[in-house]
Amino acid sequence: MTGQERSEEKSECVSLSPMREAVPAPPECERVCVCGTGDLGRSLGLRLLQAGYGVVFGSRRPHSSSSLIPHGAQVLGHAAAAQSAHLIFIAVQREHYDFLVPLANQLKGKVLVDLSNNLRKNQYPEANAEYLQSLVPGAEVVKGFNTLSAWSLQNGPSDANRQVYICGESVEAKQAVMAVATKLGFSALDRGFLSVARELEDFPLQLFPQWRLPLYIATGLSAAFFFYLLIRDIIYAYVTQGKDISFRIIVSLANKVCPIVSLIMLSLCYLPGVLASFLQLYRGTKYRRFPDWLDRWMLCRKQLGLLALGFAFLHVLYTLIIPIRYYGRFKATEHTVSVIRENRTTEFDTTTAWRGDSYLSLGILGFSLYVLLGITSLPSVSNVLSWREFSFIQSKLGHLTLLLCTAHTYLYGWNKFLSSSTYKWYTPLGYMLCLVLPSVVLLLKLLLITPYTHTHRHTQNNTLSVMTALSSRHELLFLCYYTLKGWLTFNHRLQCFWDLKKTAITFN
């Protein structure tokens, strides 16, 4: 280096004023370069300083950027900063990559980490990292740190489980970047070659990708049952009796929709697991891949369960405000006054008391387990549980939650389905519709825990495997046939019993 070049480099270097306590770099620490003094570049530089790295910022205007840079770092021009370090973070947008073209020879053999993202998908024909590699062909370009925001870099990974995705062509370059990510406290994950960079750049543009299907299901169910109950309860009363009870839409109707949607979505959490078990029994092996639709369904069970918990919370809150509503207080007062005026008394019904207490108790227990399932699905809780503990809570206690909530709904309905007046415009009650799916799930789960379904598992011989598949199929048909036959017989006898009871009442 000539004396003139040294003087130019010296003029570009800016010493920061020690107004606050600086973070001095160790004398023999590894030096890294950060090109870009925006929010992301400054946050990354601060984290690197705290981790013990020596940081040199590259800027187009080093003198004007000195007041923004963390204490303990240097600000140089792009050329001098790039020459001072082997690992260089490019924290600028793609539109500003032009300053790297004159430095192509100087950057040969160095590692360039591209942190850029786009405003929308497919904004450019190639990924930003691939474009950067074409501008500087002699450098080792690595895509990484683009999924982290400036806020997460400043606060570190302590508030959540932060992953850093890495991709690139050079194994050594990726290992160097992963070592930096690990030292900063993040979890680095190698996603492969640089051709994956477009996928990594699309990650920050995604808006709840795993929540879309559950949200669509929740919205569809809520809208369907809302309009169904609106027709049965509000419109029916106005058409047939001339009563305007539209005020019940806000609380009463919502308090019917929320538990219905919650129970159905909880059933949808455990239905794919039951279907997968029956599919394995039908095939006679557990080593074949599930269909794509079933695989996607099973991957969104957590989101389905959390949405179901949210609807259950709304049901609890709506139920708690019922006694303080004007309509509720008015009906209670009107009933009390009418009883006093008519001078009549009502005998205490022990059966109704038992049903009411059991209904409330099952609801409380079911909601408590509901909350437990939601808490254990949090990463901070599930990470400290073993797989056996997590499986016990989410599977065993999950099915118990479904059983308690289903029994809670059955006790709520009690014998309403026997009264013809409940079938307004020949439509069943909402709770009757929501009981179909959980009852099916519990029935299928009951079939799975019977001894018949465990007799031919874990076979290794090919001949026995074929016999297992055939035997399992016959057993499934056998169990389904006799279960359906028993249900039809029970339903027929129950109907005969009520017909005889009505006949006896009419005769008397």
Side-chain angles (χ1 to χ4, degrees):
M1 181 180 296
T2 63
Q4 183 179 0
E5 291 176 344
R6 290 177 181 174
S7 62
E8 290 177 357
E9 180 181 349
K10 185 175 181 181
S11 63
E12 289 181 332
C13 179
V14 177
S15 300
L16 301 179
S17 175
M19 295 178 63
R20 290 173 295 179
E21 185 177 355
V23 183
E28 297 182 357
C29 68
E30 183 180 355
R31 177 174 291 186
V32 295
C33 172
V34 179
C35 289
T37 55
D39 292 337
L40 183 61
R42 296 198 308 269
S43 301
L44 177 61
L46 179 61
R47 287 291 298 169
L48 290 169
L49 285 171
Q50 294 172 349
Y53 287 95
V55 180
V56 178
F57 282 93
S59 175
R60 292 174 296 176
R61 297 180 295 272
H63 294 277
S64 60
S65 302
S66 60
S67 60
L68 303 175
I69 301 304
H71 292 278
Q74 283 184 312
V75 188
L76 305 175
H78 285 308
Q83 190 176 1
S84 65
H86 177 72
L87 183 62
I88 304 172
F89 291 90
I90 309 298
V92 298
Q93 293 297 327
R94 173 175 174 150
E95 294 80 7
H96 305 292
Y97 283 174
D98 52 352
F99 76 92
L100 295 171
V101 177
L103 306 177
N105 294 330
Q106 187 177 344
L107 296 176
K108 283 185 178 180
K110 296 193 175 185
V111 180
L112 303 184
V113 186
D114 179 32
L115 281 70
S116 65
N117 288 314
N118 296 322
L119 297 177
R120 61 182 183 274
K121 292 184 178 181
N122 301 322
Q123 184 175 355
Y124 299 102
E126 73 281 331
N128 294 345
E130 294 175 328
Y131 175 68
L132 178 61
Q133 184 69 81
S134 65
L135 294 179
V136 192
E140 302 291 346
V141 176
V142 176
K143 187 71 181 184
F145 288 87
N146 66 301
T147 56
L148 299 178
S149 63
W151 182 87
S152 62
L153 285 170
Q154 291 177 2
N155 291 273
S158 58
D159 61 324
N161 184 18
R162 302 284 183 178
Q163 283 189 331
V164 174
Y165 299 102
I166 305 294
C167 72
E169 300 294 333
S170 173
V171 177
E172 293 78 8
K174 289 191 292 185
Q175 289 178 349
V177 178
M178 294 174 69
V180 173
T182 303
K183 193 171 182 179
L184 294 182
F186 297 99
S187 176
L189 180 62
D190 187 0
R191 295 299 299 267
F193 295 104
L194 200 61
S195 58
V196 191
R198 179 180 289 275
E199 180 182 348
L200 299 187
E201 292 171 2
D202 289 342
F203 278 172
L205 301 176
Q206 296 177 353
L207 182 63
F208 304 113
Q210 296 180 342
W211 287 85
R212 289 183 181 178
L213 179 60
L215 285 173
Y216 289 154
I217 294 175
T219 304
L221 289 174
S222 301
F225 279 100
F226 175 81
F227 288 109
Y228 179 80
L229 295 175
L230 179 67
I231 294 173
R232 289 193 78 259
D233 297 347
I234 310 301
I235 298 179
Y236 177 83
Y238 183 78
V239 171
T240 59
Q241 304 173 13
K243 293 182 178 180
D244 182 14
I245 56 173
S246 57
F247 64 90
R248 303 188 66 182
I249 295 176
I250 304 300
V251 175
S252 299
L253 200 63
N255 196 30
K256 291 183 179 180
V257 173
C258 289
I260 290 175
V261 177
S262 177
L263 186 57
I264 292 178
M265 296 198 66
L266 182 62
S267 305
L268 291 176
C269 292
Y270 295 98
L271 181 58
V274 174
L275 294 179
S277 300
F278 273 97
L279 185 60
Q280 289 176 346
L281 287 173
Y282 180 78
R283 292 174 172 177
T285 179
K286 63 178 181 179
Y287 299 106
R288 290 180 60 184
R289 182 179 176 84
F290 294 130
D292 292 337
W293 61 269
L294 183 58
D295 191 35
R296 290 194 298 268
W297 189 356
M298 296 181 70
L299 289 176
C300 67
R301 288 180 294 179
K302 175 182 177 180
Q303 289 75 21
L304 288 170
L306 291 177
L307 288 176
L309 177 60
F311 280 100
F313 262 112
L314 290 177
H315 173 51
V316 171
L317 294 177
Y318 276 123
T319 304
L320 291 176
I321 68 171
I322 286 178
I324 63 176
R325 295 171 60 207
Y326 169 75
Y327 175 73
R329 290 185 283 110
F330 176 81
K331 294 294 292 184
T333 305
E334 184 184 30
H335 175 72
T336 304
V337 171
S338 63
V339 169
I340 295 174
R341 285 179 177 178
E342 297 175 5
N343 195 20
R344 57 185 174 89
T345 58
T346 304
E347 295 183 0
F348 183 79
D349 189 356
T350 307
T351 304
T352 304
W354 268 101
R355 181 179 72 88
D357 289 353
S358 301
Y359 155 73
L360 295 174
S361 179
L362 289 176
I364 293 173
L365 293 175
F367 181 71
S368 301
L369 292 179
Y370 232 137
V371 175
L372 178 62
L373 295 176
I375 293 175
T376 54
S377 65
L378 298 175
S380 58
V381 178
S382 60
N383 289 339
V384 300
L385 297 175
S386 65
W387 170 249
R388 187 174 182 181
E389 295 169 342
F390 182 79
S391 177
F392 172 79
I393 295 175
Q394 294 294 331
S395 180
K396 301 297 188 301
L397 295 185
H399 285 95
L400 179 60
T401 305
L402 181 61
L403 177 62
L404 292 175
C405 294
T406 305
H408 169 73
T409 309
Y410 270 111
L411 288 176
Y412 164 78
W414 197 241
N415 59 354
K416 294 179 182 178
F417 69 98
L418 297 174
S419 176
S420 59
S421 60
T422 59
Y423 297 91
K424 302 175 182 178
W425 282 336
Y426 304 101
T427 56
L429 291 167
Y431 87 91
M432 296 173 62
L433 296 178
C434 80
L435 282 173
V436 174
L437 191 58
S439 300
V440 171
V441 174
L442 292 173
L443 179 61
L444 294 177
K445 184 62 179 179
L446 180 62
L447 294 178
L448 287 174
I449 62 178
T450 56
Y452 298 102
T453 57
H454 295 277
T455 55
H456 295 289
R457 292 185 178 181
H458 309 295
T459 57
Q460 297 179 355
N461 186 272
N462 293 333
T463 305
L464 289 178
S465 298
V466 176
M467 294 175 63
T468 298
L470 295 174
S471 177
S472 299
R473 295 175 186 178
H474 285 88
E475 287 175 358
L476 289 177
L477 294 175
F478 174 82
L479 289 173
C480 293
Y481 169 75
Y482 279 99
T483 302
L484 181 60
K485 183 179 179 181
W487 170 254
L488 293 176
T489 303
F490 170 76
N491 190 26
H492 176 70
R493 292 181 178 179
L494 182 63
Q495 187 65 37
C496 293
F497 169 76
W498 286 109
D499 290 341
L500 291 174
K501 186 176 181 180
K502 290 180 181 179
T503 304
I505 294 174
T506 304
F507 180 77
N508 292 335

